[in-house]
Amino acid sequence: MDFLGNIVFFLSNSFTAAAGWAWDTVVGGITDWIARGVMALMMSLWNFMDTASSPSPDAEWFSGSGSTPFNMAVQIGMVMAAILVFLGVIRGVLAGSPGAVAQVVGRDLPTAAFATAATIPLAVVSVDFADGISDYVWDQTRGDAEHAMGGLVEVMMVLNPASLGFAGPLLGLALIIVMLFMWIVLFVRESLIYLVIIYAVAFAFPAMLFAPMRETSKKVLELLVALIVAKPVMVLALSVGLSALGGVGATGEPGDGVGDNVARELGTMIVG
């Protein structure tokens, strides 16, 4: 009896190990397939978003020859500069300060002219630099994103294996919603960059010529810089979230359930 019991025990353990190995292999294959499919969708959406939501201040319609928005803003800025130079000179004369008059004509006016002429080249360089940082961060995040998608699929299978058939569509739908929201934000950013450039040339740079309004130029430049760097900051935040989500269960404690570990990891991702 002991001999037969040992044989049954050996055979049952062998079949159990084989079944476990087969199940792990199937789970790994399906997880990899879903993760790569979701990542392919993510990369396609990102490529579209990157090209469709990146401003081009040097575009012909915006700053080319003719009656473009930038050229009209420059003309308005010239009129504003003439008015504010006149007001600045009067203010200096009334204050009895020849130095203030010389400052307006000899320093502030050339500075405003240079800022207007350099706006488009500097904006193009800054936008390209921000896009380059965003692309680099996103490329480095691809591995973490694939691992995170695979971890989510594995968790879904452990919690409810029947939900595996819905894992891909659900992940894809959630991804599309997140990407759509991000695209809307980037589209608004693109529009605001164009508007801020127009406002800067038409009103903010001429405001440098009149001391009571000089702070306006600084605020507009700060807003333009913030809009340009917003894209790499958003991508970096997404990268940190995916990296945190990629370690599902890493912040859990021994003996905790899968749900507890997932909750801990999601908390880590949200709180940072």
Side-chain angles (χ1 to χ4, degrees), residues 14-73:
S14 300
F15 281 116
T16 301
W21 174 83
W23 174 250
D24 292 340
T25 303
V26 172
V27 169
I30 296 177
T31 298
D32 182 71
W33 174 70
I34 293 178
R36 290 184 181 276
V38 172
M39 277 307 303
L41 176 61
M42 182 181 292
M43 293 304 297
S44 299
L45 287 174
W46 173 255
N47 291 333
F48 168 76
M49 288 166 48
D50 192 33
T51 56
S53 62
S54 183
S56 300
D58 58 344
E60 184 67 24
W61 69 269
F62 182 72
S63 59
S65 58
S67 300
T68 58
F70 183 79
N71 290 336
M72 289 188 290

Side-chain angles (χ1 to χ4, degrees), residues 55-198:
S56 300
D58 58 344
E60 184 67 24
W61 69 269
F62 182 72
S63 59
S65 58
S67 300
T68 58
F70 183 79
N71 290 336
M72 289 188 290
V74 170
Q75 296 173 9
I76 295 174
M78 293 173 63
V79 175
M80 292 296 300
I83 296 174
L84 292 176
V85 165
F86 180 70
L87 293 177
V89 170
I90 292 179
R91 185 171 184 271
V93 171
L94 293 178
S97 175
V101 176
Q103 176 179 325
V104 171
V105 178
R107 188 194 70 177
D108 295 340
L109 184 58
T111 301
F114 173 78
T116 300
T119 297
I120 295 300
L122 290 179
V124 170
V125 172
S126 300
V127 169
D128 290 342
F129 183 71
D131 288 345
I133 294 177
S134 301
D135 293 339
Y136 173 78
V137 173
W138 185 251
D139 290 339
Q140 299 299 315
T141 308
R142 183 185 177 97
D144 291 334
E146 290 181 353
H147 182 64
M149 296 301 112
L152 287 176
V153 174
E154 290 179 359
V155 169
M156 292 180 67
M157 293 187 67
V158 172
L159 294 177
N160 185 9
S163 66
L164 180 60
F166 302 95
L170 287 177
L171 289 176
L173 179 61
L175 173 64
I176 290 175
I177 294 175
V178 172
M179 286 293 193
L180 179 61
F181 176 77
M182 191 172 180
W183 178 75
I184 293 174
V185 173
L186 290 176
F187 179 78
V188 173
R189 165 187 173 267
E190 177 187 9
S191 302
L192 287 177
I193 288 177
Y194 287 126
L195 292 176
V196 171
I197 290 177
I198 294 299

Side-chain angles (χ1 to χ4, degrees), residues 191-217:
S191 302
L192 287 177
I193 288 177
Y194 287 126
L195 292 176
V196 171
I197 290 177
I198 294 299
Y199 181 79
V201 173
F203 300 105
F205 293 153
M208 298 170 60
L209 304 171
F210 195 54
M213 301 175 59
R214 196 165 293 157
E215 191 69 16
T216 304
S217 303

